[in-house]
Amino acid sequence: MTAPGSLFGAVDRSDERVAVTVGDVGLRRGELFAAASAVADRVHGAPVVAVHAEATLTTVIGVLGCLLAGVPLVPVPPDSGPKERAHVLRDSGATLWLGAPPAGVEDDGGDVPAVVPVDPAARSAASWPVPPADSTAMIMYTSGTTGSPKGALISHRALAAGLDGLAEAWEWTPDDTLVHGLPLFHVHGLILGVLGALRVGSPLVHTQRPRPAGYAAAATEHGGTMFFGVPTVWSRIAAEPDSARALRKARLLVSGSAALPPSVFRDVLELTGHAPVERYGMTETMITIAVRADGERRPGWVGVPIRGVRARIVDDAGAPVDPDGETIGDLQIRGDCTFDGYLRRPEETAKSWTEDGWFRTGDAAVVDAVGYHRIVGRRSSDLIKTGGYRVGAGEVEAALLDHPAVAEAAVVGLPDPDLGQRIVAFVVVDSAAGGAGEQQLIEHVAGQLSVHKRPREVRLVDALPRNAMGKVQKALLVD
Ligand code: MCA
Ligand code: AMP
């Protein structure tokens, strides 16, 4: 029988429960690890493996196979456009592609590594040495304010530390059943939502999409005890009272990836009887601050650092701000769960840490006398959070500028009741170059980048507001 890597402990073959269900398909723990070992047999020795990260059981098996084999994996969003996918594959140096070939790849000039199919029915009894704790487990691509997404290097040690801290904070045990339907190419859905369940040993029910009816059905049919969602998901659940009421028997409803509006917090509490637990994190750090299962639940507050994490909030001179719950400063983090830097970006990596070794989150926050944190917002308006997805304005602007008729483009996040922020692009078109309509420009972006990176709205303007230095004044656009 497979000897799983240290992330997952021993496999109890007498455990008859289905360990992971995605949609209608499930596998017991022993079967899952044997299928993953069959993947490990195929990928062992590869420098980096790309995983087609659709919300299926094969993705879970593929990811697990790479982790067992000690091969760094890069999850690729299934809807990523050709430009984005080509960047991720080139930058990561992936030599294999696990899972179905990406849609439309034939049209991309074949810029995809050798495809290795994942067979959920395959079984292998091979065992693998536990990967070194400091070795890279995953390369997670994430947007910066400018340029193409950067690959955050996440070690086996970071995964273990981050997941153990959360399990302790949330009293997460094998008696829980975790339910969510979040994408499997981010920290939230993949690391917390899949690897967390596997490390703790609690069954996972993945609903493929995070729709209210799916969460309600998983509560009733699978006895879900813990539910994960981004604020948009909780707001949509609160808007469907029957689905929300189905969660009354849950133990913990968890919200994260963006700020949960207090009105949604209150609606969820009223309908489900549970005040949501909020937690804060980043791709680069995993989840670092969380409301504990036995902690106070205050709308708008994300709780205290998890075990093994230290947080500080500093002013412009680098001095800690008063813990008065009001003074805003820069949130900095240190702990074993932080990443090891951005792949091939030594300068950006160096800039991310202070001289004394704290990671600069780029978030503004306050802390109160009992150590509770509130996230006030991002320091840069060029990082947009839409539906819980982080989108760099610069990447969308570059995609727009790639259109022959676009002379200038500025992308901002405007407040949105459903998505938190929605992507809006202000564009100056050059009619001499043929011009372009709003919808045409949205589709132009959609042809290159993932669905959630498309502007929801394009506004054609005569000129962009600029300051004396020529820099676009985005604050004026937001106003
Ligand atoms: C989407 N659609 C669009 C556009 N965007 N159509 C035209 N123009 C656009 N700009 C399409 C979608 O493909 C979909 O079509 C339909 O419109 C509805 O879209 P939407 O309202 O966005 O709903 P959705 O697709 O169901 O997405 C909402 C969502 C999603 C489910 C909340 O945003 C989501 O899954 N968010 C989770 C993000 C996440 O996991 N972040 C974690 C990052 P169709 O129905 O045909 O497909 S990790 C992190 O942040 C840290 C570590 C942390 O703290 O967790
Ligand atoms: P990502 O890299 O996609 O993981 O996005 C990380 C960013 O999401 C953080 O820097 C925050 O700006 C935001 N974020 C995550 N969780 C929360 C939360 N609970 N409240 C407010 N913002 C959050």
Side-chain angles (χ1 to χ4, degrees):
M1 186 61 226
T2 306
S6 65
L7 259 184
F8 306 110
V11 174
D12 175 4
R13 277 196 272 170
S14 64
D15 191 343
E16 283 298 301
R17 293 178 305 172
V18 173
V20 175
T21 307
V22 184
D24 299 330
V25 223
L27 283 180
R28 292 193 181 85
R29 195 170 172 92
E31 297 170 328
L32 178 67
F33 278 92
S37 283
V39 170
D41 291 344
R42 303 280 303 271
V43 301
H44 184 64
V48 177
V49 172
V51 178
H52 180 58
E54 54 186 0
T56 60
L57 196 57
T58 51
T59 298
V60 175
I61 295 167
V63 167
L64 209 49
C66 294
L67 293 172
L68 292 182
V71 171
L73 70 104
V74 54
V76 183
D79 68 339
S80 50
K83 185 175 177 186
E84 194 178 351
R85 186 173 60 235
H87 165 69
V88 166
L89 292 174
R90 199 178 321 110
D91 191 66
S92 68
T95 57
L96 297 175
W97 175 278
L98 265 185
V105 65
E106 296 80 13
D107 309 330
D108 294 353
D111 193 14
V112 165
V115 172
V116 177
V118 175
D119 177 6
R123 301 286 181 266
S124 165
S127 68
W128 304 92
V130 173
D134 286 334
S135 60
T136 300
M138 278 191 196
I139 308 170
M140 209 43 115
Y141 276 81
T142 190
S143 298
T145 50
T146 56
S148 306
K150 300 171 281 188
L153 299 166
I154 301 177
S155 66
H156 286 264
R157 179 206 307 282
L159 291 179
L163 294 174
D164 289 352
L166 274 186
E168 193 269 336
W170 293 340
E171 300 167 18
W172 186 358
T173 73
D175 291 337
D176 281 303
T177 293
L178 174 65
V179 177
H180 74 91
L182 296 167
L184 298 186
F185 45 86
H186 281 309
V187 167
H188 198 163
L190 181 60
I191 298 185
L192 271 55
V194 174
L195 304 184
L198 288 171
R199 182 160 173 87
V200 168
S202 70
L204 162 69
V205 177
H206 191 282
T207 59
Q208 294 194 296
R209 294 289 288 260
R211 297 215 169 102
Y215 278 37
T220 315
E221 290 161 24
H222 294 274
T225 62
M226 288 174 74
F227 291 76
F228 287 175
V230 296
T232 303
V233 169
W234 291 116
S235 139
R236 291 180 184 185
I237 288 174
E240 291 188 22
D242 286 344
S243 294
R245 285 189 204 101
L247 308 189
R248 292 193 81 88
K249 286 199 184 134
R251 185 175 73 79
L252 217 59
L253 308 183
V254 184
S255 177
S257 302
L260 184 70
S263 58
V264 177
F265 178 103
R266 290 191 194 98
D267 290 348
V268 171
L269 171 58
E270 193 184 315
L271 290 163
T272 66
H274 299 284
V277 159
E278 290 182 65
R279 93 295 177 288
Y280 159 85
M282 288 184 79
T283 303
E284 290 87 339
T285 63
M286 288 199 276
I287 306 313
T288 48
I289 301 180
V291 172
R292 298 176 61 83
D294 60 1
E296 185 197 351
R297 302 186 196 175
R298 255 190 248 169
W301 293 75
V302 296
V304 295
I306 64 166
R307 194 174 62 189
V309 169
R310 288 159 64 203
R312 72 180 189 189
I313 299 176
V314 297
D315 63 19
D316 289 346
V321 302
D322 281 343
D324 56 9
E326 286 178 9
T327 309
I328 298 172
D330 290 325
L331 176 60
Q332 300 179 345
I333 295 288
R334 67 192 302 166
D336 275 349
C337 56
T338 53
F339 76 141
D340 293 323
Y342 301 110
L343 182 66
R344 288 187 237 291
R345 314 258 191 144
E347 281 170 20
E348 298 197 47
T349 300
K351 272 194 284 180
S352 312
W353 273 278
T354 64
E355 274 175 16
D356 56 347
W358 292 75
F359 176 72
R360 303 177 204 270
T361 65
D363 286 304
V366 302
V367 62
D368 75 3
V370 296
Y372 255 52
H373 290 71
R374 186 165 70 81
I375 308 301
V376 178
R378 294 249 9 134
R379 278 295 189 206
S380 167
S381 62
D382 282 335
L383 273 190
I384 299 166
K385 266 270 154 164
T386 178
Y389 286 113
R390 167 168 152 188
V391 179
E395 191 186 6
V396 184
E397 286 160 4
L400 285 163
L401 287 166
D402 197 46
H403 189 287
V406 172
E408 295 177 59
V411 168
V412 296
L414 294 188
D416 185 277
D418 180 43
L419 299 166
Q421 289 184 305
R422 71 175 186 285
I423 303 176
V424 177
F426 292 81
V427 178
V428 180
V429 293
D430 179 357
S431 42
E438 289 92 340
Q439 197 52 38
Q440 213 180 336
L441 292 174
I442 292 173
E443 274 155 28
H444 174 75
V445 176
Q448 302 185 56
L449 307 176
S450 308
V451 168
H452 62 269
K453 294 183 179 174
R454 304 179 226 185
R456 299 264 162 176
E457 213 183 305
V458 167
R459 297 190 194 168
L460 299 179
V461 291
D462 292 334
L464 297 176
R466 293 183 183 271
N467 65 16
M469 311 286 289
K471 192 171 173 330
V472 177
Q473 293 173 296
K474 289 203 172 174
L476 293 180
L477 293 175
V478 173
D479 288 344

